[in-house]
Amino acid sequence: MSNSGYNSQNGAGGQPYTNGPSQNPLLLQPAGPGYNMAGQTPYSNQIPTKAPLYNSGPYQIVPPVSSYQIPGQPPLSRPPMGPPQSMTPPPPTAHSPRMLPPVPGQNSPSPLVSTESFYPGSQNPPQPTWQYGAPPPMGTAPLVPVGNHVTSVPSSAPNQPSTSGYSVAPPPAFHNAASFAPGPPAPPASIYTHSAPVPPSGSPVPPHPYQPGRAPYAPPLTAGPPPAMRPTPPPTGPPASATPPPHLPKHEAVAGHLPIPGDGPHAPNAFDHLETGAKNMAGPPPPQPGTIGRQLGHSYPTLPPGYQNTGPPPNASPAAPLKQPYSPAAQPYQQPSAGPAQLSPSMAGLSLQSQTPEALRVVNLLQERNLLPPGPVPAPTPCLPQDLQKLNCSPEVFRSTLTNIPQTQSLLSKAKLPLGLLLHPFKDLSQLPVVTSSTIVRCRSCRTYINPFVSFLDQRRWKCNLCYRVNDVPEEFMYNPVSRSYGEPHKRPEVQNPTIEFIAPSEYMLRPPQPAVYLFVLDVSHNAVETGYLDVVCQSLLDNLNSLPGDTRTKIGFITFDSTIHFYNLQEGLSQPQMLIVSDIEDIFLPTPDSLLVNLSECKELVQDLLKGLPQMFTKTMETHSALGPALQAAFKLLSPTGGRVSVFQTQLPTLGVGALKSREDPNQRASAKDIQHLSPATDFYKKLALDCSGQQVAVDLFLLSGQYCDLASLGCISRFSAGSVYYYPSYHHQHNLAQVERFQKDLKRYLTRKIGFEAVMRIRCTKGLSIHTFHGNFFVRSTDLLSLPNVNPDAGFAVQMSIEENLVDMQVVSFQAALLYTSSKGERRIRVHTMCLPVVNSLSDVFAGADVQAMTGLLASMAVDRSVTASLSDARDAMTNAAIDSLSVYRSSVLTIQQPGLLAPACLRLFPLYILALLKQRAFRTGTSTRLDDRVFAMYQLKYQPLSYLTLMIHPSLYRVDDLTDEGALNISERTIPQPRVLQLSVERLSREGAFLMDAGLVMFLWIGRNCNPNFLTQVLGVPSYAAVPQNMHQLPELETAESVRTRAFIGWLREQRPFFPILHVIRDESQLKASFMQNMIEDRTESALSYYEFLLHLQQQISK
């Protein structure tokens, strides 16, 4: 008898995290009048976008060629406004490149032919652009195939080049954006290890459905098995051993993970089989009549009230108040018909031809100025039947760049829109249904977990929504723990929740779950001691030692390093910690392997003693060298037997031993308008070590605290390929930069106490006919579609690119499923599953109507980072510009039925050019503005790693006026009143010297105070008598007992609570040094090195008109 249970907790024990972002649209204050800049002195380095002209009528369409200043001529000026005139496109120019023209003031002339090409020897190279949805052809993509660190199953990738690690041969080039070898596509089932069995012969398809209602969303059943499917052999062989067999190489028998018995002789890739699951889990047990009785009913505990009473998820409307993003409540589940005849009525909502939806409303970007919504941009809602949509995954967790999937690859290519998914798989959730069951129901063919979008043919059979195989329903699944009823499998929580977590049975474990192991590696050179970071780290650890995720098995250890490596013996029974120094950094070894990692609960007093004394031990050190590489090697040796997390704190360039680096940055080239050099690593040492760490379930998190160049492009590889995180605190100093100290303290507390998953793997599955070909994020691609994540944290995001390999002609919808298998800090093996369903469309207008502009921008940002590293920064910038040109060009030529003058876009893409311009001006991609190399590389890491909800502000900040906050339209959260000011455009014309404005740029916030700011705001919020009294380095608001202070602090606090990292607040005025940073985020204004938004629109129109 199975012991099954069900509850609604957020992970394994502990309180749910509540500091994740909130993407729900908010109650917003009505738009107020614009703020007048009349009579003010223009800023010397910022040119406003001609504010008076926006209010005097529509833009006059002018020939774009006149919108750029020729060097030596007067500055650019907009022609006087008049009635709208017809646009006469300029004559086409042969071989005209799609490149941004030089901005007035730059010396570089506009080249006539683009020099970026992946086609050697071509006279007229193609424009640098992306082939959306299709894997790059051989020889054209700069990305190299990903070699498998663990040999993958031969059948899973017929054309995949295999590697055997990097210890014997020269290392293969690994990339996070994993492009796979070209060649004929394998059958859809071949990307999975297990082949598909034949449906049981004794189960004919009934002519009538089990429950009429919702129409089916899969092809009709066929009489025979699907093509290329074979019967599955029954499980054979002895049980799995916890000890790797001697004949397996070290890299293949990783950390005790072995092939599951019954998978056949060709199963060397243990990771692949670990998530895929044992074959004996796939099939249901034989029916045993009479076994369901009182005992099974009593094995499901009563659900907590939070699960039973939660309503359905809110619709994405601008007036929706904050609610929980999930609906764990049981919903009635109407089953589909068996044939395609009934498809039309329920899927009629998918036809967008009868009337023009809001998403396709034509917008003339040159005439409509106020495009920003008053609050956060809501995610588009897929055009699905209501019963499907209410069961769909939250866009905070799972999001597609296109909410309408094109029926064919040719239709996707014609649309020139990127197709991909953005995931936040381990996000902190306030409601997470958790199921304990001895039987996890999965498709026998493709191993998909049962989900809300499968079809029940009758009580005993369900059809997979990814491969369409018919599977039997296990007897245990007939009982519903929510309603405590029997015979309603379609009402089980697994079929009512798009996000669910399973407590995995023993079949998902190939060794006992590892304990939580934390190793701290600390730089104690003279430079490190000078910054004062050691005091903050040790004090934060002392404060949060009892809050580290874990159980009674939790282990902890410490290593410090300068020119030598220092270990600390913390063995129980010692009166004080012992320091053990290893000076031979060329051949690092562990002096006492058994006492360097100790049980935290047994040795807590020794650990506390060490943390209290560590900052004073090196106060007088004169060691200036840094042996980071050998310290990391020592950490790897120490954690290899168990796996775990390494937290590295580094303050300078490594100078000794393996991994030593030399400065590559030329400060004179920081503001170069040419291509930026040294974005790729200087050595492959850190990448190789990261792959070794990944193989032994070790992740490395890097904290970089420095005012000097540290070559983050090289050091970051240790985290990037081991599924770690990178934290960067430029110019950190405990006395001279208090804002960074506060940010470091807050980030460190979150880092030490947040939930963590160990020895994780993640696989993303999609409906037959779709294919995933490129991944973005911090991980290592263990086999063709399995991501190795030694650690997974709730703040990590991922992205994938997709293509359409087979026409989706017979399908009305497609589904995507992400499964994350991990070990919780409490030692439980868990599986978190997210499933999303999207409609399939066959017209170009419907494809455009489903475009998600924020998701597209996030995916393009990741693609551009890869292009910058593998090709050049200018190539990436051109490709992003071409993405806007191509999409709007196709819309104009193939979607619009009535041609009109102007730069036209559908309403769903109205913000696309603005976001592309924001990316071009973002720190990662900008040129002509002084940008430190480490700052640029860190910005690129953020674009690849941050979930979309956090990333959006880093690309396009939000600007609010805060000197006149009111309670009108405010939110009420936990007895707090949160004002909701309107989001303003990022232009100096929106500023007023009589006001105060808050800019939220993700990692940093600026509170700009106008010279003539309301004296009431100065005294009631800032606590100063006058503008001149505002301190130069103010980064905290005083806690005053005034209504204005309470409102302002509540609003800023609410913004901070929506992200896991701590943004610094800088209060600035006109004389502040940081004013330049504030102004650089005014994306719609022209600078000395970049176009204004209006000029950029004219450039796009010029290119489209060719």
Side-chain angles (χ1 to χ4, degrees):
M1 184 60 62
S2 66
N3 179 18
S4 302
Y6 179 79
N7 57 42
S8 178
Q9 299 176 6
N10 180 23
Q15 297 298 319
Y17 289 92
T18 58
N19 54 355
S22 174
Q23 285 294 95
N24 291 10
L26 310 169
L27 290 173
L28 294 157
Q29 177 178 327
Y35 304 111
N36 188 7
M37 287 286 291
Q40 299 178 15
T41 307
Y43 299 104
S44 58
N45 63 342
Q46 203 79 20
I47 301 174
T49 51
K50 291 82 183 173
L53 301 183
Y54 285 120
N55 301 323
S56 61
Y59 291 125
Q60 178 181 6
I61 308 306
V62 295
V65 71
S66 67
S67 64
Y68 304 108
Q69 176 190 353
I70 300 173
Q73 288 191 357
L76 171 73
S77 63
R78 187 172 304 161
M81 290 292 104
Q85 300 177 6
S86 61
M87 172 67 188
T88 304
T93 306
H95 306 297
S96 296
R98 290 178 175 175
M99 299 174 66
L100 285 183
V103 176
Q106 286 185 277
N107 296 324
S108 57
S110 178
L112 294 180
V113 179
S114 173
T115 57
E116 292 80 12
S117 173
F118 295 141
Y119 302 88
S122 60
Q123 296 299 320
N124 295 310
Q127 301 304 329
T129 186
W130 285 294
Q131 298 299 319
Y132 295 127
M138 178 73 79
T140 64
L143 303 178
V144 265
V146 171
N148 295 337
H149 191 51
V150 174
T151 308
S152 59
V153 179
S155 65
S156 64
N159 299 302
Q160 181 78 4
S162 63
T163 64
S164 58
Y166 45 77
S167 55
V168 179
F174 293 94
H175 282 280
N176 284 45
S179 296
F180 302 114
S190 69
I191 62 171
Y192 307 106
T193 304
H194 308 290
S195 56
V198 179
S201 58
S203 303
V205 179
H208 299 291
Y210 153 53
Q211 267 193 347
R214 180 172 87 202
Y217 24 88
L221 292 171
T222 54
M229 292 187 175
R230 307 186 296 276
T232 304
T236 58
S241 166
T243 306
H247 64 276
L248 281 180
K250 178 180 72 171
H251 291 300
E252 296 185 4
V254 174
H257 291 275
L258 298 178
I260 294 178
D263 279 334
H266 58 289
N269 189 340
F271 286 91
D272 187 48
H273 291 267
L274 193 65
E275 192 280 332
T276 303
K279 273 305 175 71
N280 57 15
M281 284 297 296
Q288 298 177 0
T291 59
I292 302 298
R294 181 182 298 272
Q295 295 88 344
L296 181 60
H298 280 279
S299 66
Y300 289 90
T302 304
L303 291 178
Y307 180 85
Q308 296 169 336
N309 301 328
T310 304
N315 292 327
S317 64
L322 283 175
K323 296 180 183 176
Q324 303 297 353
Y326 292 98
S327 168
Q331 303 287 346
Y333 191 71
Q334 298 297 322
Q335 292 309 315
S337 308
Q342 289 84 8
L343 279 177
S344 301
S346 68
M347 305 303 282
L350 296 183
S351 176
L352 303 178
Q353 303 300 330
S354 56
Q355 58 181 356
T356 302
E358 167 61 22
L360 289 180
R361 176 176 59 85
V362 180
V363 177
N364 188 340
L365 298 178
L366 289 169
Q367 291 183 352
E368 293 201 27
R369 170 71 169 134
N370 298 311
L371 297 176
L372 285 176
V377 179
T381 303
C383 187
L384 288 169
Q386 185 60 33
D387 61 338
L388 281 186
Q389 183 51 40
K390 67 185 179 184
L391 294 171
N392 224 347
C393 196
S394 164
E396 291 186 356
V397 174
F398 216 158
R399 199 157 164 178
S400 173
T401 58
L402 301 178
T403 57
N404 293 333
I405 303 299
Q407 198 173 69
T408 64
Q409 178 64 39
S410 62
L411 183 60
L412 174 62
S413 301
K414 185 177 181 182
K416 295 190 182 298
L417 296 174
L419 177 58
L421 303 173
L422 287 89
L423 290 88
H424 191 176
F426 205 52
K427 174 179 165 52
D428 288 326
L429 302 173
S430 55
Q431 289 287 339
L432 176 63
V434 179
V435 174
T436 303
S437 176
S438 60
T439 302
I440 297 179
V441 180
R442 301 176 67 180
C443 175
R444 288 185 63 93
S445 174
C446 69
R447 311 300 295 138
T448 294
Y449 296 82
I450 198 167
N451 61 78
F453 308 106
V454 303
S455 305
F456 282 87
L457 305 179
D458 52 38
Q459 282 187 320
R460 297 290 179 180
R461 294 180 304 151
W462 63 278
K463 184 164 67 170
C464 176
N465 55 318
L466 266 65
C467 73
Y468 309 119
R469 188 193 192 280
V470 176
N471 297 270
D472 292 339
V473 175
E475 185 66 33
E476 181 187 349
F477 203 75
M478 298 294 291
Y479 179 79
N480 181 10
V482 179
S483 62
R484 292 179 171 268
S485 59
Y486 180 78
E488 295 180 318
H490 59 281
K491 293 185 178 180
R492 288 266 306 193
E494 297 94 322
V495 191
Q496 291 296 321
N497 293 278
T499 290
I500 198 162
E501 187 152 286
F502 299 96
I503 306 293
S506 58
E507 285 83 355
Y508 289 82
M509 306 176 202
L510 296 175
R511 69 172 185 179
Q514 74 168 64
V517 182
Y518 305 110
L519 178 63
F520 296 90
V521 181
L522 305 162
D523 179 2
V524 291
S525 63
H526 177 74
N527 188 67
V529 173
E530 279 294 301
T531 65
Y533 91 92
L534 211 52
D535 297 86
V536 176
V537 172
C538 292
Q539 188 58 49
S540 186
L541 267 170
L542 282 169
D543 294 342
N544 298 289
L545 209 52
N546 294 326
S547 302
L548 289 176
D551 53 15
T552 56
R553 304 182 303 155
T554 302
K555 292 185 175 183
I556 194 169
F558 297 88
I559 293 175
T560 58
F561 66 96
D562 40 34
S563 61
T564 57
I565 313 299
H566 322 132
F567 299 89
Y568 295 88
N569 184 349
L570 301 169
Q571 195 166 21
E572 190 178 13
L574 292 175
S575 59
Q576 62 182 16
Q578 289 181 346
M579 179 195 284
L580 307 169
I581 300 177
V582 174
S583 56
D584 185 5
I585 60 173
E586 299 301 325
D587 185 17
I588 201 71
F589 65 95
L590 303 179
T592 56
D594 298 333
S595 59
L596 303 179
L597 274 179
V598 296
N599 185 287
L600 178 58
S601 58
E602 295 173 359
C603 306
K604 185 173 293 184
E605 289 186 3
L606 278 176
V607 171
Q608 291 172 332
D609 290 344
L610 176 63
L611 291 172
K612 290 174 184 175
L614 203 54
Q616 285 72 45
M617 293 169 65
F618 300 96
T619 51
K620 297 182 179 180
T621 183
M622 299 307 292
E623 280 284 359
T624 58
H625 287 293
S626 170
L628 174 64
L632 288 172
Q633 288 180 325
F636 169 67
K637 290 188 175 186
L638 192 53
L639 258 60
S640 287
T642 59
R645 183 180 75 187
V646 180
S647 307
V648 181
F649 297 83
Q650 174 75 2
T651 66
Q652 61 174 314
L653 206 63
T655 55
L656 286 181
V658 290
L661 300 169
K662 295 181 180 179
S663 179
R664 299 188 291 166
E665 183 183 39
D666 181 1
N668 297 323
Q669 297 297 316
R670 288 178 180 171
S672 172
K674 302 178 181 178
D675 273 328
I676 306 299
Q677 304 298 319
H678 309 306
L679 294 175
S680 54
T683 173
D684 61 356
F685 166 78
Y686 295 99
K687 186 179 191 179
K688 286 182 175 182
L689 184 57
L691 299 183
D692 279 339
C693 288
S694 177
Q696 300 299 325
Q697 305 297 350
V698 175
V700 182
D701 295 326
L702 177 64
F703 290 79
L704 199 57
L705 310 100
S706 175
Q708 306 167 357
Y709 173 70
C710 285
D711 199 351
L712 186 55
S714 299
L715 297 184
C717 293
I718 190 67
S719 299
R720 206 174 136 205
F721 294 98
S722 68
S725 310
V726 175
Y727 295 81
Y728 177 52
Y729 304 89
S731 305
Y732 182 91
H733 195 275
H734 67 110
Q735 290 178 336
H736 306 318
N737 197 338
L738 296 180
Q740 287 282 28
V741 173
E742 182 187 16
R743 177 180 157 224
F744 181 46
Q745 288 172 327
K746 297 289 177 60
D747 286 354
L748 201 54
K749 180 178 181 180
R750 163 72 177 172
Y751 173 77
L752 294 173
T753 58
R754 71 186 179 188
K755 194 170 58 170
I756 185 173
F758 296 98
E759 49 187 351
V761 290
M762 183 170 71
R763 172 174 272 128
I764 303 169
R765 297 178 170 90
C766 47
T767 295
K768 178 182 176 182
L770 294 169
S771 171
I772 294 171
H773 62 80
T774 306
F775 298 86
H776 301 278
N778 288 3
F779 52 80
F780 175 60
V781 182
R782 185 61 58 181
S783 65
T784 53
D785 63 343
L786 193 74
L787 305 187
S788 171
L789 305 168
N791 288 178
V792 62
N793 71 75
D795 306 332
F798 303 88
V800 298
Q801 293 169 239
M802 293 191 302
S803 60
I804 303 170
E805 288 192 339
E806 300 177 17
N807 291 351
L808 310 175
V809 175
D810 296 329
M811 304 176 195
Q812 296 291 341
V813 295
V814 290
S815 297
F816 309 89
Q817 187 175 85
L820 177 70
L821 174 66
Y822 72 97
T823 299
S824 76
S825 58
K826 304 291 185 186
E828 291 180 315
R829 202 73 174 135
R830 290 183 168 226
I831 310 164
R832 186 173 296 190
V833 179
H834 309 283
T835 311
M836 177 175 64
C837 179
L838 296 175
V840 176
V841 297
N842 58 11
S843 74
L844 201 58
S845 60
D846 289 354
V847 175
F848 271 85
D852 183 337
V853 66
Q854 287 189 328
M856 286 169 50
T857 305
L859 182 63
L860 286 174
S862 287
M863 296 165 64
V865 170
D866 289 343
R867 180 69 68 92
S868 299
V869 175
T870 56
S872 68
L873 192 67
S874 61
D875 196 45
R877 288 171 56 87
D878 291 342
M880 285 189 288
T881 306
N882 289 343
I885 293 171
D886 291 341
S887 58
L888 296 184
S889 179
V890 170
Y891 173 75
R892 185 183 187 100
S893 62
S894 303
V895 177
L896 279 180
T897 55
I898 302 175
Q899 294 299 319
Q900 308 170 35
L903 181 60
L904 306 178
C908 61
L909 290 182
R910 68 189 186 281
L911 297 176
F912 194 37
L914 179 62
Y915 285 161
I916 292 296
L917 180 63
L919 276 176
L920 294 173
K921 294 187 176 185
Q922 217 262 356
R923 185 169 291 170
F925 304 115
R926 69 189 184 192
T927 58
T929 302
S930 181
T931 307
R932 291 171 49 172
L933 192 53
D934 281 344
D935 290 356
R936 186 185 299 275
V937 172
F938 179 66
M940 289 183 171
Y941 273 25
Q942 294 289 95
L943 293 176
K944 292 270 288 185
Y945 174 78
Q946 288 291 350
L948 181 64
S949 53
Y950 314 146
L951 187 60
T952 304
L953 285 173
M954 299 179 189
I955 296 173
H956 186 275
S958 294
L959 182 67
Y960 309 91
R961 183 166 185 169
V962 293
D963 63 298
D964 56 359
L965 294 178
T966 67
D967 291 342
E968 183 181 353
L971 298 175
N972 290 301
I973 303 175
S974 303
E975 300 182 354
R976 290 186 306 159
T977 301
I978 314 294
Q980 294 297 296
R982 184 182 180 85
V983 176
L984 305 175
Q985 289 157 293
L986 293 172
S987 171
V988 294
E989 75 177 68
R990 292 301 181 189
L991 300 181
S992 165
R993 294 193 187 278
E994 285 74 39
F997 295 83
L998 179 73
M999 178 185 285
D1000 182 1
L1003 285 172
V1004 64
M1005 292 180 176
F1006 298 101
L1007 179 56
W1008 181 82
I1009 311 298
R1011 184 177 295 276
N1012 303 323
C1013 183
N1014 185 345
N1016 188 53
F1017 182 83
L1018 297 175
T1019 57
Q1020 304 296 318
V1021 177
L1022 301 182
V1024 296
S1026 65
Y1027 173 83
V1030 176
Q1032 282 286 359
N1033 294 317
M1034 188 175 184
H1035 60 88
Q1036 286 181 330
L1037 296 183
E1039 296 187 13
L1040 305 177
E1041 297 300 324
T1042 63
E1044 294 83 354
S1045 174
V1046 170
R1047 283 196 198 101
T1048 306
R1049 286 185 290 109
F1051 180 57
I1052 293 175
W1054 175 74
L1055 291 175
R1056 280 173 163 165
E1057 289 168 4
Q1058 297 179 57
R1059 67 205 76 179
F1061 43 83
F1062 184 81
I1064 304 172
L1065 174 66
H1066 293 293
V1067 181
I1068 60 174
R1069 53 185 193 174
D1070 275 352
E1071 298 80 9
S1072 300
Q1073 292 180 346
L1074 288 170
K1075 183 192 161 190
S1077 299
F1078 174 74
M1079 289 300 172
Q1080 282 172 355
N1081 283 323
M1082 291 296 182
I1083 290 164
E1084 300 197 18
D1085 293 335
R1086 181 162 65 107
T1087 64
E1088 296 175 355
S1089 58
L1091 300 178
S1092 72
Y1093 176 54
Y1094 184 72
E1095 293 166 346
F1096 184 64
L1097 293 179
L1098 291 175
H1099 172 67
L1100 297 183
Q1101 185 187 40
Q1102 181 187 33
Q1103 298 298 325
I1104 291 171
S1105 300
K1106 287 183 178 179

